[in-house]
Amino acid sequence: MNRIASALAAAVFLALPATAQHHEHAHDHDHRMTDMTAGIERLSLPNFPVTSSEGVTAGLRDMLPHDAPLILSFTYTGCESLCAVTNAILLGVEDDLLRANADEVVIATISIDPANDTPEQLRTAKAQIGAGEGWLWLTGGTSGTKPILDTLRFPPGAIEDHDPIFLIGRPCSGRFTRVVGLADPQDLVSFTRDLPECEA
Amino acid sequence: MRSLIAACLIVAAPALAQTEPGQALFLQGEGASAVLFGGLRMSGQQIACAGCHGADARGDAEGATVFPPIDWASLRRGDRAGGPYDRAAFAAALRDGLAPDGRRLVDAMPRYEITDDAIDGLVRFLQGIDADQRRGVGPRSIHISARAGGDALRGLSLAVDRFNRDGGAFGRSLTMGPRETSLLDEEDLGRILDLRLERAGIKPVLRAELYPSPARADTHPRTLRAYFHGLVLGQALIECGRDVTRHCIEDHARKLRLSMFLDLP
């Protein structure tokens, strides 16, 4: 697909307010229309307590970078379907970031199944997938998960019945790009570029 | 205390089964590797067919993503979206992500690196899966078994009697007989339910009103256990409706609320 069509496709998918940054998808390969939608929204991270796969407990906001770009995703370790794909996408993102020396970008995954996804279970899953050390795996526990997911506007419903969702942004900015559906790793990485710095 | 298990829990060891390559590929993803987005590599084991399409190949959905049925009969249907498949079209779908009408399959469907032999095995498996998943299911009856015999057979029979007395489900009653022609064995259900109970740390105690009739103070724990398994099977049959497959029953056994049958703290 040529660049004009590509830019049109991006404009259709990105619901951009007039003053916002337009994210160019600069790929080496042909840009194809992927099965995702993306839009920018106001969102502040809550500070409900979470525990990481390494057993560290802190408020979610405190656990995550303040200024640096964040890619937030969701999973449950009992998943046998799309979670494997979203995790593979994030592994691809890790590789791309490493190649680009973009070591300030943080990837974090939140469990939507606190009953089964204990910190130990998350550690096992993280190791099985081969996630890098810097990729945070977090659980809000049985009482903290719902408030966190509600604040992040993760749709309610059965654990097995969700679209993949990624939230990308600098937490200090109070704005995130919400990607719904499966995204090419390069698309996710390009959303982390050109994010405006937060005002002091 | 109407406990279903003796002090030492006897868990049936899983039978070692000879798995054909087509089955291993479909269920566990063995024998192929997957590529997504033109370059993202995954092992087949991370994205086995059954994970999305169901262990019975009847399909599923997750959010807005639909995983269509891929048993061979469904693939060959003339009214299938994207067109009916034959062996060549199936290979093109797996390797190149193309439907028979040439349209691109969704991103969620991996492109597989897979040999012709593996595809042949997979096709054979998908041709047989429907018959296998519905073995023992007839228009007016569903055939189940309790190969453990003795007290287990007694317990399952009590549940079968109760189910049939209550009118069966969707025009079918339960019948019992040999394992070779049954949809499910009581031990298969036992494996699933024992695992759930173990994980939840529950010692199963049957709800008083469900206690089998005729009630006897000396009813053997194994009988009560098999009876419990039979009750779960009956409820799963109601949930699965007319389109009963082994996978549907097992799936409901994994998910239905145990408090329907057990006194839980």
Side-chain angles (χ1 to χ4, degrees):
Chain A
M1 194 189 282
N2 63 31
R3 276 188 64 86
I4 293 171
S6 169
L8 280 174
V12 163
F13 283 128
L14 293 173
L16 296 171
T19 53
Q21 202 90 17
H22 176 76
H23 295 285
E24 279 293 309
H25 295 274
H27 297 312
D28 292 335
H29 58 272
D30 275 327
H31 180 77
R32 359 170 243 113
M33 305 242 295
T34 55
D35 307 320
M36 69 163 201
T37 59
I40 297 176
E41 60 189 58
R42 291 201 175 285
L43 185 63
S44 293
L45 296 181
N47 212 24
F48 297 112
V50 291
T51 304
S52 73
S53 54
E54 312 315 308
V56 175
T57 300
L60 176 65
R61 195 164 57 233
D62 295 337
M63 188 82 84
L64 297 172
H66 183 63
D67 308 293
L70 166 70
I71 300 174
L72 198 55
S73 77
F74 304 87
T75 201
Y76 64 103
T77 64
C79 173
E80 289 177 314
S81 52
L82 289 181
C83 303
V85 180
T86 59
N87 286 329
I89 291 170
L90 290 171
L91 282 173
V93 169
E94 265 195 325
D95 281 345
D96 287 355
L97 292 173
L98 204 64
R99 259 194 300 257
N101 281 323
D103 54 7
E104 78 282 6
V105 179
V106 173
I107 303 173
T109 293
I110 296 178
S111 166
I112 65 171
D113 183 15
N116 288 310
D117 291 344
T118 59
E120 297 73 29
Q121 182 63 21
L122 291 179
R123 186 161 60 245
T124 303
K126 180 181 169 177
Q128 267 169 3
I129 284 159
E133 271 188 38
W135 179 350
L136 295 170
W137 286 60
L138 307 169
T139 174
T142 45
S143 52
T145 296
K146 188 172 188 316
I148 290 171
L149 296 183
D150 284 348
T151 309
L152 297 177
R153 294 183 213 120
F154 189 82
I159 286 168
E160 312 85 21
D161 194 23
H162 287 113
D163 294 314
I165 290 178
F166 303 92
L167 292 168
I168 302 141
R170 296 185 198 273
C172 55
S173 70
R175 296 162 79 86
F176 281 84
T177 301
R178 180 179 301 265
V179 173
V180 180
L182 296 175
D184 190 313
Q186 294 194 349
D187 286 336
L188 292 181
V189 170
S190 61
F191 282 128
T192 68
R193 293 201 191 107
D194 306 324
L195 289 173
E197 303 280 343
C198 297
E199 284 152 38
Chain B
M1 164 115 101
R2 290 161 179 173
S3 173
L4 298 183
I5 52 171
C8 49
L9 170 66
I10 302 159
V11 177
L16 289 171
Q18 196 76 357
T19 309
E20 289 191 2
Q23 180 177 3
L25 175 54
F26 181 81
L27 292 177
Q28 278 100 35
E30 286 175 19
S33 57
V35 179
L36 294 148
F37 296 114
L40 206 58
R41 199 161 276 284
M42 296 170 70
S43 78
Q45 274 119 329
Q46 291 172 287
I47 191 82
C49 322
C52 291
H53 292 282
D56 57 3
R58 300 299 295 159
D60 203 345
E62 189 164 352
T65 307
V66 174
F67 312 113
I70 55 171
D71 59 289
W72 197 247
S74 293
L75 285 170
R76 288 191 55 70
R77 283 177 67 131
D79 61 350
R80 186 179 178 93
Y85 285 81
D86 56 17
R87 197 272 185 212
F90 184 63
L94 291 181
R95 289 181 170 136
D96 307 316
L98 296 172
D101 64 1
R103 278 187 301 161
R104 215 175 51 91
L105 298 177
V106 296
D107 286 334
M109 174 63 190
R111 312 317 181 219
Y112 287 93
E113 288 169 347
I114 182 171
T115 63
D116 283 332
D117 278 350
I119 291 182
D120 287 340
L122 186 55
V123 168
R124 265 195 304 275
F125 178 75
L126 292 173
Q127 286 169 335
I129 194 172
D130 205 44
D132 180 57
Q133 281 286 320
R134 294 174 198 281
R135 187 182 72 197
V137 178
R140 298 188 58 74
S141 65
I142 292 175
H143 182 75
I144 58 174
S145 57
R147 75 176 143 203
D151 295 306
L153 189 65
R154 212 168 347 266
L156 189 65
S157 301
L158 288 169
V160 165
D161 289 344
R162 187 190 182 105
F163 178 82
N164 291 339
R165 251 196 334 267
D166 287 346
F170 297 92
R172 292 190 181 109
S173 57
L174 282 170
T175 60
M176 290 184 54
R179 173 81 180 100
E180 291 69 38
T181 49
S182 75
L183 174 66
L184 267 173
D185 192 84
E186 178 268 338
E187 272 181 358
D188 301 326
L189 288 165
R191 256 200 302 281
I192 293 171
L193 292 165
D194 284 344
L195 193 59
R196 285 190 71 181
L197 294 170
E198 196 183 307
R199 278 195 179 144
I202 295 173
K203 197 164 168 3
V205 174
L206 205 55
R207 287 173 58 160
E209 68 271 22
L210 294 175
Y211 207 69
S213 160
R216 291 173 49 153
D218 62 347
T219 302
H220 195 279
R222 185 67 181 90
T223 301
L224 285 178
R225 203 169 132 239
Y227 175 70
F228 164 55
H229 299 159
L231 291 180
V232 170
L233 169 65
Q235 183 61 31
L237 283 170
I238 291 168
E239 306 279 345
C240 290
R242 189 68 194 164
D243 190 18
V244 178
T245 62
R246 184 179 313 116
H247 169 66
C248 183
I249 306 282
E250 289 173 343
D251 206 38
H252 280 97
R254 279 183 209 108
K255 292 178 185 162
L256 56 71
R257 281 179 304 115
L258 295 173
S259 59
M260 286 185 80
F261 307 104
L262 303 178
D263 253 337
L264 297 181

